[in-house]
Amino acid sequence: MRTLLRHGTVVNANGQQRADVLVDGERVAAVGAGFSESVDCVIDATGRLLLPGGVDVHTHLDMPFGDIRTADDFASGTIAAACGGTTTVVDYATQAKGGSLREALDEWMTRAAGQAVVDFGFHVCIADLRPDVEAEMASLVAEGVTSFKLFMAYPGRLMLNDDGILRVLRRAAQVGGLVCIHAEDGPAIDALVREALAAGHTAPAYHARTRPPASEAEAVGRAIALAETAEAALYVVHLSSATALEQIAAARERGLDIMAETCPQYLVLTEAAYDAEPAEAANFVMSPPLRPPADQQALWAGLERGDIQVVATDHCPFTRADKARGLDDFSRIPNGAPGIEHRMALLYDAGVAGGRLSVERFVDVAAASPARLFGLAPRKGAIAAGADADIVVFDPAGTTTISAATHHMRVDYNPYEGRTLRGAIDLVLARGEVIVSGNRYVGAPGRGRCLRRDPFGPRTA
Ligand code: URP
Ligand code: ZN
Ligand code: ZN
């Protein structure tokens, strides 16, 4: 099957050009003009941007959480991703206490295989560090599972102490892995939570008050120091605050290989969401929490400067009923929010149409950099000869209105309800096949493939 996309503007992280794109089978055959090959399908992209399919490297699909699980499985979550222009996801598989990393990976693979409609991979969260687990890291990297997540929060459940973090960082540097870190000072936060509850402060707003920016900045600073000691690279996930970002910028200035990701929620929402009545405010309980407008401005500046390299979603959806479990005790509200579907649209609207990011930088943070940092380039993240033909046909003159009534995520609210955004997706191609047309998934079920990722190479951004 050959497809020709004609007369579009092809945008990559390193530039844009008016060009045609010739797709042969699953790959881009050429980008240029004057193609005379016979094709099976012509797509007129006049007035449209041709963007590389988005790469979302932070999702939690079909994730167990106590006796509940996240609301999207790999089918519904990746259909939503596809409808929003994301054609690759990297999800988090979490090690059980006493279990191995391999068991975690196998378990998550069983959930995704035959369900996901876009290509996918996994990071593995290390929650129980033992010598055999350290040894396993090398075999996972050799198989193409090249990143690991550690938690500095949630003591007793997921948190590793500094000695464990140091050991994983060293081992990752030896074997070609990249460590992703959830940087919040768990023990201090737990103390603040206990104090708040003892004082009768049970409302969702106290989730944010007990996780102040200083607790994030402390953990980011400590993680950077541990990475420096280990001579390892570090990737800070879901960065939310200005003070934490300052630590990252300073470390990068000193030449350390420290990278950061933020998420649309921290770029377009603020802590004002917690002023709503509790049943609504609970829907915005996530960790780290939403922050004041000044933090948001700092994050935009960090993205523009390049101190933040990636925008991912941390898609972690729970229904209103699940969130309501904690209405009389904020510490029982399952943490996380839906977002996999509207990452590209929100970032284009607030970033590009809002005058904060060039369209090339938008492509960089939404597709090219995540692909490169997580070992998926040159196959993903660019429209170039030889790359997978993952292409979003995007109408910059269109609009997108967000609503839980029309979204594809299996969750009964949307944090961005009622917003009308500048820009609209016409079509999404994944490995050469049109899988989304007019906000409808039209591809085959379960067509996504598990991706083997390359080891991490130092200082790539
Ligand atoms: O609140 C959040 N972010 N939940 C998802 C799990 C995590 O820490 O990334
Ligand atoms: Zn996290
Ligand atoms: Zn997460």
Side-chain angles (χ1 to χ4, degrees):
M1 168 89 176
R2 280 190 204 219
T3 302
L4 184 63
L5 295 107
R6 295 177 65 198
H7 307 317
T9 298
V10 176
V11 186
N12 279 311
N14 59 1
Q16 56 174 288
Q17 56 173 318
R18 292 287 300 275
D20 298 345
V21 179
L22 181 64
V23 173
D24 192 356
E26 298 194 342
R27 304 260 170 136
V28 174
V31 178
F35 298 121
S36 55
E37 285 84 347
S38 67
V39 294
D40 307 288
C41 171
V42 174
I43 295 171
D44 180 8
T46 305
R48 305 297 191 261
L49 303 178
L50 298 176
L51 308 170
V55 179
D56 186 351
V57 291
H58 192 153
T59 66
H60 299 281
L61 298 171
D62 210 352
M63 181 187 79
F65 182 79
D67 61 339
I68 56 175
R69 40 203 323 123
T70 50
D72 277 310
D73 59 18
F74 277 85
S76 67
T78 56
I79 286 172
C83 289
T86 289
T87 52
T88 304
V89 299
V90 186
D91 198 82
Y92 281 97
T94 305
Q95 178 200 17
K97 292 268 187 219
S100 66
L101 304 186
R102 152 81 33 218
E103 284 163 350
L105 188 61
D106 288 349
E107 198 182 325
W108 257 263
M109 192 70 84
T110 307
R111 290 177 196 154
Q115 297 293 316
V117 303
V118 301
D119 292 348
F120 60 93
F122 296 103
H123 318 275
V124 181
C125 302
I126 303 178
D128 185 8
L129 186 63
R130 308 179 305 262
D132 57 307
V133 169
E134 270 177 78
E136 265 193 294
M137 289 172 65
S139 53
L140 289 192
V141 171
E143 280 176 41
V145 179
T146 58
S147 45
F148 303 91
K149 182 177 181 185
L150 307 181
F151 287 85
M152 300 174 88
Y154 310 120
R157 276 203 296 131
L158 295 165
M159 189 182 92
L160 287 196
N161 290 326
D162 290 2
D163 63 335
I165 295 171
L166 186 65
R167 273 158 48 205
V168 173
L169 282 162
R170 276 211 184 108
R171 185 82 184 133
Q174 284 164 3
V175 302
L178 176 60
V179 173
C180 306
I181 197 115
H182 176 128
E184 286 188 300
D185 180 350
I189 287 168
D190 278 10
L192 295 177
V193 170
R194 280 193 301 272
E195 271 173 34
L197 292 175
H201 299 313
T202 57
Y206 283 89
H207 172 77
R209 292 184 201 167
T210 54
R211 306 183 94 91
S215 66
E216 187 180 15
E218 186 281 332
V220 167
R222 184 155 42 94
I224 290 170
L226 291 167
E228 185 170 12
T229 305
E231 297 183 30
L234 180 72
Y235 177 90
V236 179
V237 298
H238 49 47
L239 191 81
S240 70
S241 66
T243 45
L245 173 59
E246 281 163 22
Q247 311 253 15
I248 286 164
R252 290 176 62 81
E253 183 69 27
R254 290 199 294 121
L256 300 181
D257 210 355
I258 310 294
M259 281 105 15
E261 152 202 296
T262 191
C263 312
Q265 53 269 36
Y266 304 118
L267 292 167
V268 306
L269 301 174
T270 70
E271 63 175 7
Y274 302 120
D275 297 340
E277 47 105 12
E280 192 58 30
N283 296 336
F284 297 87
V285 165
M286 61 188 81
S287 294
L290 300 173
R291 303 293 192 194
D295 290 278
Q296 195 179 85
Q297 295 315 317
L299 294 175
W300 279 112
L303 268 180
E304 286 169 46
R305 278 197 314 270
D307 284 328
I308 299 173
Q309 294 75 35
V310 173
V311 176
T313 59
D314 194 9
H315 177 71
C316 191
F318 292 101
T319 62
R320 284 181 184 274
D322 289 341
K323 292 283 193 181
R325 290 169 160 230
L327 287 186
D328 55 1
D329 174 353
F330 68 88
S331 71
R332 293 166 53 84
I333 301 171
N335 285 200
I340 201 167
E341 187 161 347
H342 298 112
R343 179 182 68 119
M344 303 282 278
L346 287 162
L347 195 57
Y348 182 87
D349 174 71
V352 181
R356 290 168 167 127
L357 301 178
S358 68
V359 70
E360 291 90 348
R361 183 75 185 134
F362 160 70
V363 164
D364 198 2
V365 300
S369 280
R372 190 175 59 251
L373 294 177
F374 290 98
L376 293 167
R379 190 169 165 193
K380 303 291 187 187
I383 300 177
D388 281 357
D390 296 351
I391 300 171
V392 180
V393 181
F394 189 82
D395 179 4
T399 57
T400 302
T401 298
I402 297 182
S403 173
T406 51
H407 72 201
H408 300 81
M409 299 179 289
R410 209 184 278 157
V411 62
D412 50 357
Y413 77 98
N414 193 302
Y416 312 96
E417 183 69 34
R419 290 186 189 224
T420 295
L421 309 176
R422 293 159 284 188
I425 290 171
D426 285 352
L427 294 173
V428 178
L429 284 77
R431 279 189 277 102
E433 191 191 334
V434 174
I435 63 165
V436 172
S437 174
N439 199 34
R440 241 169 26 91
Y441 180 73
V442 296
R447 59 171 295 289
R449 287 191 198 139
C450 187
L451 296 163
R452 187 187 176 93
R453 297 186 286 121
D454 291 335
F456 178 76
R459 197 84 213 202
T460 48

